[in-house]
């Protein structure tokens, strides 16, 4: 048997060891409790610019998709000086005819929900919805073309142009929710009917200026700017009715996947405000946006249409899109760009396109939808 001193020593050591282990267990339980109580992180809440719009609480509904709830929203006067009212019309571009993948046509209905419209109301706007479903129009059999559904594209974007023009006549803000990017043929045309001196900022990973001769795929979601600039007259587009943009009124941000034929077109057209990701890494999104505005709208006097393709963002922020390209613009950078454009007071219309809920995992679809909502809300906010 150990001596009395040894016994007391071992007893004291055992008690201290048990106290230490008990304290460690309590701390571990405490930190585990904090982690499971902590809201899941997402790019939606990682942007400081986004949090300036409203404090977001991302929760899960029965559908499993993130829900944006506005905990604090302050109503402001309209800072979009060219839009007479505080009414916004969400044009649901339920179309996929500009490319061959199924899915973009269902995105608008998943993005624009009753809950989201409530959030827009809390931003001080009166929202409404107009559906612009795809119009199916077969290509006549005697016409030989490698283009995908050109007559359906023409009929669909004609409808969009008419609806956008109608929204402008009512003094409201048209927000086109796609759908694929061929719809921008209609939104830009409709806005140009109201504002003939319209400037266009194209946020995209792709130049979207292919012609039927340069397009390797024949997908017309890669050709809207060719139509708007008058570079093509394919079947269904022979009369040139979509020509309403000139190279000096166009600026790009986010380019990183430009076809060889498009590079030639951009050079020949003299489009010198086409910033790619190398430019962004060198100069930052703030400087590039100001340089575009200085070039196409130096005195903040001309109306601006922002065409926002979610594939301009990095796939980490918008994975569920048809043509994702790595090294993209991060969400917080896109928010900074939108804020600069919005603060000119010249924004009169906008597209948010190319969300495809049929691509990616459940969480990737949810993230892409949530970030598309935040992008549009930021364009309408004064924060």
């Amino acid at each position: 048997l150990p001596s009395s001193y040894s016994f007391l020593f071992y007893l004291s050591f055992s008690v201290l060891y048990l106290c230490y282990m008990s304290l460690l267990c309590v701390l571990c339980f405490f930190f585990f409790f904090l982690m499971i109580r902590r809201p899941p992180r997402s790019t939606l809440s990682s942007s400081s610019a986004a949090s300036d719009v409203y404090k977001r609480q991302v929760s899960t509904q029965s559908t499993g998709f993130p829900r944006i709830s506005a905990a604090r929203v302050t109503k402001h006067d309209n800072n979009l000086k060219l839009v007479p009212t505080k009414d916004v019309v969400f044009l649901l571009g339920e179309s996929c005819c500009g490319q061959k993948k199924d899915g973009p046509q269902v995105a608008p209905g998943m993005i624009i929900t009753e809950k989201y419209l409530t959030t827009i109301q809390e931003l001080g706007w009166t929202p409404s919805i107009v559906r612009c479903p795809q119009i199916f129009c077969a290509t006549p059999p005697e016409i030989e073309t490698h283009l995908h559904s050109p007559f359906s594209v023409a009929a669909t974007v004609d409808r969009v142009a008419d609806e956008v023009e109608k929204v402008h006549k009512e003094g409201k803000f048209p927000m086109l929710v796609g759908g694929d990017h061929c719809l921008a043929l209609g939104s830009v045309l409709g806005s140009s009917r109201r504002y003939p001196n319209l400037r266009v900022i194209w946020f995209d990973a792709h130049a979207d200026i292919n012609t039927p001769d340069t397009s390797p795929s024949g997908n017309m979601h890669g050709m809207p700017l060719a139509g708007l600039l008058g570079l093509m007259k394919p079947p269904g587009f022979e009369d040139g009715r979509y020509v309403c943009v000139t190279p000096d009124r166009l600026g790009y941000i986010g380019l990183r996947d430009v076809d060889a034929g498009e590079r030639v077109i951009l050079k020949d057209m003299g489009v010198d405000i086409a910033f790619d990701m190398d430019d962004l890494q060198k100069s930052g999104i703030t400087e590039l946006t100001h340089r575009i505005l200085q070039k196409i709208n130096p005195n903040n006097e001309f109306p601006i249409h922002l065409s926002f393709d979610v594939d301009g963002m990095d796939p980490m922020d918008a994975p569920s899109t048809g043509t994702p390209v790595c090294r993209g613009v991060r969400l917080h950078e896109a928010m900074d760009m939108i804020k600069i454009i919005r603060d000119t007071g010249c924004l009169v219309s906008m597209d948010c396109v190319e969300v495809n809920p049929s691509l990616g995992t459940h969480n990737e679809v949810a993230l892409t939808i949530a970030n598309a909502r935040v992008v549009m809300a930021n364009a309408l906010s004064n924060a």
Side-chain angles (χ1 to χ4, degrees), residues 1-120:
L1 290 175
S3 66
S4 60
Y5 291 106
S6 298
F7 176 76
L8 290 174
F9 173 79
Y10 286 118
L11 179 62
S12 301
F13 178 80
S14 299
V15 170
L16 289 174
Y17 180 76
L18 288 174
C19 292
Y20 171 78
M21 293 302 296
S22 299
L23 179 62
L24 186 62
C25 290
V26 170
L27 290 174
C28 289
F29 177 79
F30 177 73
F31 284 114
F32 176 75
F33 179 76
L34 287 180
M35 291 300 294
I36 63 175
R37 292 278 295 175
R38 184 181 180 182
R41 289 189 63 188
S42 71
T43 315
L44 174 65
S45 58
S46 66
S47 169
S48 60
S51 63
D52 288 339
V53 180
Y54 37 64
K55 294 177 181 178
R56 296 177 189 84
Q57 179 184 3
V58 181
S59 58
T60 303
Q61 303 177 9
S62 59
T63 59
F65 289 103
R67 180 180 65 211
I68 304 174
S69 61
R72 176 185 59 82
V73 181
T74 304
K75 293 184 179 181
H76 299 269
D77 293 332
N78 190 1
N79 70 332
L80 301 181
K81 61 187 180 184
L82 299 180
V83 181
T85 71
K86 284 281 285 185
D87 296 281
V88 56
V89 179
F90 290 97
L91 300 157
L92 307 188
E94 300 162 334
S95 167
C96 63
C97 56
Q99 44 84 68
K100 302 179 182 72
K101 295 178 181 178
D102 187 48
Q105 74 278 11
V106 303
M110 298 175 70
I111 296 170
I112 307 301
T113 62
E114 183 178 353
K115 179 67 177 178
Y116 184 64
L117 293 179
T118 300
T119 299
I120 298 302

